[in-house]
């Protein structure tokens, strides 16, 4: 599902294979689409460090191959040692939690459908739908759903359930979404770390009709990371009286739900490209 966006954001043509791009630029979460096992957020944070140790040098090699192209901002971003993490929903939680624990290793975050927290009411509805409807389907019924679905996102949805019959990973992911609250995690940081985090550039993209990552949740994250908070002023973070521009940018795609990149793929790629150029 992410391959077209990876190609678009990095401006890579078909000479780079799907397998190469998936290997170099994605970290699969358990149950997405296989590897069905229960997990905690700490397990995924470790997988990022493992990924960096294995893939960073290969990304930098690719940057060298692109040196003769007209993509200086892409080359610059791939050559640096700090991470730019793009995460959708649960992946956004992982991105934020990793940055909280490793602020010196991260240069930018792109969050898709992930704000300060998720709407518990609709997370519970999703759980009920899975338990009462999806989990009761046999493997043959799930495969029939895959065959009959015309939308790639729907096919992917049913494929995940057919690959993960114990549903341990799916249940773990839902539990993480339900318990996630960025403000609580942020408040555990010491003041200097909080100040450092507010300097981190963040792009948040959400759908106007996303029931899980609401507008309130997005703006709450922006408030938490407000550069003009009185607490920062008291600690001499801000010099002078001019109001500072926030480092978090929120883009809301009209008539879109929890997968805004599917509704408006062109602007999704352009928005992330522009964010990387800054």
């Amino acid at each position: 599902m992410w391959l077209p966006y990876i190609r678009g954001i990095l401006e890579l043509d078909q000479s780079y294979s799907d397998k190469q791009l998936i290997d170099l630029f994605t970290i699969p979460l358990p149950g997405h689409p296989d590897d069905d096992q229960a997990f905690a957020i700490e397990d995924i944070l470790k997988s990022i460090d493992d990924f960096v140790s294995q893939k960073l040098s290969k990304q930098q090699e690719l940057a060298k191959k692109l040196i003769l192209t007209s993509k200086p901002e892409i080359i610059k971003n791939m050559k640096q040692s700090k991470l730019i993490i793009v995460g959708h929903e649960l992946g956004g939680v992982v991105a934020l939690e990793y940055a909280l624990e490793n602020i010196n290793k991260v240069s930018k975050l792109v969050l898709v459908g992930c704000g300060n927290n998720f709407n518990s009411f609709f997370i519970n509805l999703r759980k009920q739908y899975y338990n009462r409807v999806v989990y009761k389907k046999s493997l043959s019924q799930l495969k029939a759903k895959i065959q009959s679905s015309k939308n790639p996102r729907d096919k992917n949805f049913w494929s995940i359930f057919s690959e993960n019959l114990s549903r341990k990973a799916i249940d773990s992911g839902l539990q993480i979404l339900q318990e996630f609250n960025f403000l609580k995690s942020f408040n555990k940081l010491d003041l200097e770390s909080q100040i450092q985090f507010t300097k981190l550039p963040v792009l948040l993209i959400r759908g106007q009709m996303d029931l899980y990552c609401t507008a309130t949740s997005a703006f709450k994250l922006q408030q938490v990371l407000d550069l003009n908070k009185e607490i920062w002023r008291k600690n001499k973070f801000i010099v002078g009286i001019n109001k500072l521009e926030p480092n978090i940018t929120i883009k809301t795609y009209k008539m879109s739900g929890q997968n805004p990149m599917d509704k408006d793929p062109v602007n999704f790629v352009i928005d992330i490209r522009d964010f990387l150029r800054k």
Side-chain angles (χ1 to χ4, degrees), residues 194-246:
Q194 288 183 357
I195 291 173
Q196 191 174 0
F197 200 104
T198 64
K199 299 178 183 179
L200 181 68
V202 178
L203 172 63
L204 195 166
I205 299 175
R206 61 173 296 274
Q208 181 185 30
M209 298 183 292
D210 190 342
L211 301 176
Y212 301 94
C213 174
T214 63
T216 300
S217 173
F219 289 122
K220 178 66 175 179
L221 182 64
Q222 191 174 50
Q223 288 175 344
V224 174
L225 301 178
D226 184 4
L227 286 164
N228 298 288
K229 276 186 181 178
E230 188 65 26
I231 188 172
W232 311 144
R233 293 178 183 274
K234 288 180 179 177
N235 284 273
K236 300 182 181 179
F237 175 49
I238 297 176
V239 178
I241 60 174
N242 293 329
K243 188 172 182 179
L244 298 177
E245 288 295 320

Side-chain angles (χ1 to χ4, degrees), residues 27 44-53 83 85 94-95 98:
I27 301 176
I44 311 303
L45 301 188
K46 182 181 181 302
S47 73
I48 295 179
D49 286 326
D50 293 341
F51 178 89
V52 171
S53 66
L83 304 178
I85 308 179
V94 173
Y98 186 85

